Amino acid sequence: MEGKVESLWEEVRELSLGTTVDRLHSPPTPLQFLRDFVSQNKPCVISNAISHWPALSLWPTPSYLSAALSSSTVSLHLTPDGHADALVPHPSHPSLCFASAHVQPTPFPQALDLIRRPPNHLVAYLQQQNDCFRTEYGELASDCDGHIPWASEALGCLPEAVNLWIGNHLSQTSFHKDHYENLYAVVSGEKHFLLLPPTDVHRMYIKQYPAAQYSYSQEKGEFRLELEEPERYVPWSSVDPCPATGNLKQESLKFPLYFNGPKPFEVTVKAGEVLYLPSMWFHHVSQSPGDDGCTIAVNYWYDMQFDIKYAYFNFLQSLPCRSIDDPTTPESACNEHEKIPTTIMPLPARPQYRNCHLERTAVCYLKMVATLEILGNIFESGVESLMSYGGR
Amino acid sequence: MEGKVESLWEEVRELSLGTTVDRLHSPPTPLQFLRDFVSQNKPCVISNAISHWPALSLWPTPSYLSAALSSSTVSLHLTPDGHADALVPHPSHPSLCFASAHVQPTPFPQALDLIRRPPNHLVAYLQQQNDCFRTEYGELASDCDGHIPWASEALGCLPEAVNLWIGNHLSQTSFHKDHYENLYAVVSGEKHFLLLPPTDVHRMYIKQYPAAQYSYSQEKGEFRLELEEPERYVPWSSVDPCPATGNLKQESLKFPLYFNGPKPFEVTVKAGEVLYLPSMWFHHVSQSPGDDGCTIAVNYWYDMQFDIKYAYFNFLQSLPCRSIDDPTTPESACNEHEKIPTTIMPLPARPQYRNCHLERTAVCYLKMVATLEILGNIFESGVESLMSYGGR
């Protein structure tokens, strides 16, 4: 089995993906975009697609943003080290746990200050993923397009969610996948993506981790990390692609399929560029700030098609994998379908957890959302509040 | 493994394909076609897409065709029973063999007569698949479109080959797949398709069969079936979906994954309709004649994308399968990749064999063809003569 899975990793690269992410120097036509990238589930970076956005010149001036959002309260994500939705050690639990950030409603100007001038042991990140750009940041609507026109035409719909991201060099996003087609536009600074296609799912060592939540006490200036009650498990990639110095060898031994397999696609998206991040691709994100001290981006999530590609992925993921270099690993270690614990999180929830856990249910949910949209404006009032639970 | 493969068969139907083939009552836009069908690898039947073709009114009059092609010599495929490119018993070989028709250059009017008024023990079929519509049948070019405009725009290219098919109710095409996107337009009579998605590859029981060739002696009025020398093996589906009366139970025991699994999609394409038959779908074709005594169709083969879907398919096909109901079947029985005999047919050859056998090589070949096209008119003079070897 392992040899065959490895051949799959190689073949998708040889036939379709190549060794680097394609770069387009102008926006594709909707047909080109659909044919050459979406249909093939293949990423690309597009230059000169958002040159007309006022945001490109306005947002890198912090005083502009603070003035525009002077009376806005936004959801600020706080962690001790910039690792939210990531695996961290827990004092009272033997294994790693999946830690979510403390979310603090904060006046925008204060939030921006915290990001640009991080205090010790506190990393702030504006990364609420509940269509926040069209809600919390409504004042900025005229600074960029409400959707990516050629992508909307190609995909036949408007974005399901548009999110704003403002962070600094300390914030990272650990490897995960989304069940959306993603257009990711960088406005200030740079975003650094590591990408792996869905064929490489076994290289992610997805396992179940207990969910935990940071809570931050402003008085004490301290974080506490508490396991959720009732206990909840989240399937998450075990791989840290950038282990601390000296840990690489140990990590390679633990996750040989990742470290010894084909290198992930590395792509840096600069201010003014757009990344098409195809649905189901695993991605790890870090960032470099611009002169304004932060990285600013807007991403557009479009519904994906649950078609034959998705069915193939689920099949692949359901197969047991055994590390080539570590035959003692239990066969089912990478098989999240067989390891869903009895305590399943309620729907709706963060898209990535919802989908990892309950993929069929997620499809029904998405279809339900589509139906609701047809029926009227229920989406605006109802689903939105459900989605405000957050998610990436 | 078997349970997981069965889940794949079910899931692709539940999520994407449904239980019947979609019908469109007018041609889709290129974007709709690409998004809703090609990208999803999902078939559909389109009405009112070729209503403007003069062929629809002209071709059902046999005297029109005979007059238009009065001086044309065409490649007529002759078999004793209408089963060309099919498995038949061989007198001196213990297993079935893969029999190709006797191809007889014949004046068109005489060929049409043989099809419309079949003599005993001789079934004639015009089914040369080497872009014959643009070569042997060039006189008919103005009767229909040289390509399907919305498909060409969607797929970003013109057809690689356009073929004419004229047959009667006795001719069948056994289960196989093509490495092309296929637009299949029926002009007279009806074509009956049985379709299975590529996910169902294990249900086809693809095995290696020795290639054989019919030769027909006009003097004796007899067929001989001779094994090719040197010996050549062809991977072909073992399944006859319409076994003779009384044989169904026996066939079901031999091929339980086919007969006990989800029913194939059944679709009848009538005169004036177009079937989009996606690349890599298995199809079995039979036909009912129109009032003119024959079934006439034109099909357009467009290059397919060798993308993640194709890589997933190859991976799936490489997995061993064991019949659920017959655990004594050797694991590798369905694994054509591991059974390629040492005598491999030379390239180029019929597309389906070429691709089944040597899929990587086929891709290189297709890329080479594209390069040749760019370099000049080499395609016209060189590749065409290579392709005249035939193929479906």
Side-chain angles (χ1 to χ4, degrees):
Chain A
M1 171 66 68
E2 286 67 27
K4 287 168 180 172
V5 174
E6 286 184 351
S7 297
L8 172 61
W9 306 340
E10 281 167 25
E11 186 162 83
V12 75
R13 287 165 172 80
E14 278 176 23
L15 293 179
S16 174
L17 301 175
T19 54
T20 58
V21 172
D22 284 5
R23 286 192 163 261
L24 311 183
H25 296 289
S26 59
T29 66
L31 266 174
Q32 285 172 325
F33 180 55
L34 193 51
R35 181 171 57 225
D36 297 342
F37 300 101
V38 181
S39 171
Q40 301 193 38
N41 198 244
K42 183 175 173 176
C44 62
V45 174
I46 307 108
S47 307
N48 301 307
I50 57 170
S51 316
H52 59 287
W53 284 13
L56 281 181
S57 58
L58 296 173
W59 293 3
T61 306
S63 59
Y64 169 82
L65 285 176
S66 289
L69 296 163
S70 60
S71 56
S72 298
T73 297
V74 295
S75 302
L76 187 63
H77 290 232
L78 301 176
T79 56
D81 54 5
H83 295 244
D85 296 347
L87 301 181
V88 300
H90 185 273
S92 73
H93 196 277
S95 89
L96 296 171
C97 65
F98 176 82
S100 300
H102 174 93
V103 181
Q104 181 68 48
T106 308
F108 177 81
Q110 189 184 327
L112 190 60
D113 271 355
L114 271 175
I115 293 165
R116 296 181 60 227
R117 285 181 279 272
N120 275 347
H121 311 304
L122 175 68
V123 178
Y125 195 10
L126 289 168
Q127 61 138 351
Q128 187 77 351
Q129 294 150 59
N130 60 349
D131 198 28
C132 68
F133 185 69
R134 300 193 285 204
T135 53
E136 291 185 2
Y137 302 95
E139 306 297 328
L140 302 178
S142 58
D143 291 348
C144 48
D145 289 341
H147 64 126
I148 305 288
W150 40 271
S152 302
E153 199 178 332
L155 300 167
C157 56
L158 289 171
E160 179 84 6
V162 184
N163 303 306
L164 182 72
W165 307 72
I166 305 181
N168 60 33
H169 69 286
L170 296 166
S171 283
Q172 289 196 359
T173 303
S174 61
F175 262 127
H176 69 287
K177 69 181 189 307
D178 297 316
H179 291 63
Y180 289 105
E181 304 295 351
N182 198 344
L183 274 295
Y184 206 107
V186 175
V187 176
S188 184
E190 296 180 349
K191 289 269 185 181
H192 312 290
F193 288 83
L194 296 177
L195 304 175
L196 281 180
T199 48
D200 292 31
V201 57
H202 293 104
R203 303 180 59 202
M204 293 281 86
Y205 294 86
I206 294 167
K207 299 185 184 178
Q208 301 288 337
Y209 292 95
Q213 183 78 45
Y214 280 116
S215 63
Y216 179 67
S217 158
Q218 247 170 324
E219 288 159 21
K220 298 184 190 166
E222 277 178 12
F223 282 93
R224 280 195 316 177
L225 182 59
E226 291 191 353
L227 290 172
E228 284 188 20
E229 297 213 4
E231 196 179 44
R232 178 170 75 89
Y233 280 80
V234 175
W236 205 256
S237 171
S238 309
V239 175
D240 176 1
C242 316
T245 322
N247 279 1
L248 180 60
K249 193 174 172 188
Q250 191 189 342
E251 294 293 295
S252 300
L253 288 170
K254 276 158 72 184
F255 311 116
L257 299 183
Y258 177 82
F259 286 98
N260 302 340
K263 288 211 182 314
F265 294 83
E266 289 186 43
V267 59
T268 287
V269 187
K270 296 182 178 171
E273 295 179 336
V274 176
L275 169 68
Y276 166 56
L277 174 52
S279 55
M280 310 297 288
W281 273 62
F282 296 95
H283 50 289
H284 176 280
V285 196
S286 58
Q287 48 203 330
S288 308
D291 293 340
D292 51 340
C294 53
T295 310
I296 312 180
V298 181
N299 93 288
Y300 300 79
W301 265 332
Y302 288 86
D303 280 346
M304 65 173 278
Q305 296 281 3
F306 291 89
D307 60 12
I308 196 171
K309 296 187 278 281
Y310 181 76
Y312 273 131
F313 172 82
N314 270 347
F315 168 72
L316 175 65
Q317 183 172 237
S318 77
L319 299 178
C321 90
R322 194 199 301 263
S323 161
I324 294 159
D325 298 339
D326 177 12
T328 60
T329 308
E331 275 233 340
S332 61
C334 302
N335 185 344
E336 71 181 48
H337 275 183
E338 294 182 4
K339 295 194 75 188
I340 295 175
T342 47
T343 310
I344 292 179
M345 59 178 312
L347 274 179
R350 305 193 179 208
Q352 72 273 30
Y353 317 156
R354 179 180 77 214
N355 290 309
C356 287
H357 248 144
L358 298 163
E359 302 201 324
R360 293 266 181 108
T361 317
V363 176
C364 296
Y365 173 79
L366 291 168
K367 286 185 176 165
M368 185 190 76
V369 169
T371 312
L372 286 176
E373 280 179 331
I374 290 163
L375 286 172
N377 285 328
I378 299 168
F379 178 78
E380 286 296 314
S381 58
V383 177
E384 189 177 279
S385 67
L386 298 179
M387 286 190 73
S388 66
Y389 193 86
R392 173 162 308 101
Chain B
M1 172 64 69
E2 284 69 25
K4 287 168 180 171
V5 175
E6 286 183 352
S7 299
L8 172 60
W9 306 340
E10 280 166 25
E11 187 162 81
V12 75
R13 286 164 173 81
E14 278 176 25
L15 293 179
S16 174
L17 301 175
T19 54
T20 57
V21 172
D22 284 5
R23 286 193 163 262
L24 311 183
H25 296 289
S26 58
T29 66
L31 267 175
Q32 285 172 324
F33 180 56
L34 193 51
R35 181 171 58 225
D36 297 342
F37 300 101
V38 181
S39 171
Q40 301 193 37
N41 199 242
K42 183 175 173 176
C44 63
V45 175
I46 307 108
S47 308
N48 300 308
I50 57 169
S51 316
H52 59 287
W53 284 13
L56 281 180
S57 58
L58 295 174
W59 293 3
T61 305
S63 58
Y64 170 82
L65 286 177
S66 289
L69 297 164
S70 59
S71 57
S72 299
T73 297
V74 295
S75 302
L76 186 63
H77 290 232
L78 301 176
T79 57
D81 54 4
H83 294 243
D85 295 346
L87 302 180
V88 299
H90 185 274
S92 73
H93 196 277
S95 88
L96 296 171
C97 65
F98 176 81
S100 299
H102 174 94
V103 181
Q104 181 69 48
T106 308
F108 178 81
Q110 188 184 329
L112 189 60
D113 270 354
L114 270 176
I115 293 166
R116 295 181 60 226
R117 283 181 281 274
N120 274 347
H121 311 304
L122 175 68
V123 178
Y125 194 10
L126 290 169
Q127 61 138 352
Q128 186 77 351
Q129 294 150 59
N130 60 348
D131 198 29
C132 67
F133 186 68
R134 301 194 283 205
T135 52
E136 291 186 0
Y137 301 95
E139 306 296 328
L140 301 177
S142 59
D143 291 348
C144 50
D145 289 342
H147 64 126
I148 305 287
W150 40 270
S152 302
E153 199 177 332
L155 300 167
C157 56
L158 289 171
E160 179 82 7
V162 184
N163 303 306
L164 181 71
W165 308 71
I166 305 181
N168 61 33
H169 68 286
L170 296 167
S171 283
Q172 289 195 0
T173 304
S174 61
F175 262 126
H176 69 286
K177 69 183 188 307
D178 297 316
H179 292 63
Y180 288 106
E181 304 294 352
N182 197 345
L183 275 295
Y184 205 110
V186 176
V187 176
S188 184
E190 296 181 347
K191 289 271 185 180
H192 312 291
F193 288 83
L194 296 176
L195 303 175
L196 281 179
T199 48
D200 292 32
V201 58
H202 294 104
R203 302 179 60 203
M204 293 281 88
Y205 293 87
I206 294 167
K207 298 185 186 179
Q208 301 288 338
Y209 292 95
Q213 182 80 46
Y214 279 117
S215 64
Y216 180 68
S217 158
Q218 247 170 324
E219 288 158 24
K220 299 184 190 166
E222 276 178 15
F223 282 94
R224 279 195 319 177
L225 181 60
E226 290 189 354
L227 290 172
E228 283 187 19
E229 296 213 8
E231 198 180 40
R232 178 171 73 91
Y233 281 80
V234 175
W236 206 256
S237 171
S238 309
V239 175
D240 175 1
C242 316
T245 323
N247 279 2
L248 179 60
K249 194 172 172 191
Q250 192 191 341
E251 294 293 296
S252 301
L253 289 170
K254 277 158 70 185
F255 310 116
L257 299 183
Y258 177 82
F259 286 98
N260 304 339
K263 288 211 182 312
F265 294 84
E266 288 186 44
V267 60
T268 288
V269 187
K270 296 181 179 172
E273 295 179 337
V274 176
L275 170 68
Y276 165 56
L277 173 53
S279 56
M280 310 297 287
W281 273 62
F282 296 95
H283 51 290
H284 176 279
V285 195
S286 57
Q287 46 202 330
S288 308
D291 293 340
D292 51 340
C294 54
T295 309
I296 311 180
V298 180
N299 93 287
Y300 300 80
W301 266 332
Y302 288 86
D303 280 346
M304 65 174 279
Q305 297 281 4
F306 291 89
D307 61 11
I308 196 171
K309 295 189 278 283
Y310 180 77
Y312 273 133
F313 171 81
N314 270 347
F315 168 71
L316 174 65
Q317 184 172 238
S318 77
L319 300 178
C321 90
R322 195 198 303 262
S323 161
I324 294 158
D325 298 337
D326 178 13
T328 59
T329 308
E331 275 232 341
S332 61
C334 302
N335 187 343
E336 70 181 51
H337 275 184
E338 293 181 5
K339 296 194 72 186
I340 295 176
T342 47
T343 310
I344 290 180
M345 60 180 307
L347 274 178
R350 306 192 177 207
Q352 72 271 30
Y353 318 155
R354 180 180 76 215
N355 290 309
C356 287
H357 249 142
L358 297 163
E359 302 200 322
R360 293 266 181 109
T361 317
V363 175
C364 296
Y365 173 79
L366 291 168
K367 286 184 175 165
M368 184 190 77
V369 168
T371 311
L372 286 177
E373 279 178 332
I374 291 162
L375 286 173
N377 286 330
I378 300 168
F379 179 76
E380 287 297 313
S381 57
V383 178
E384 188 177 282
S385 67
L386 299 179
M387 284 188 76
S388 67
Y389 192 88
R392 173 162 308 102

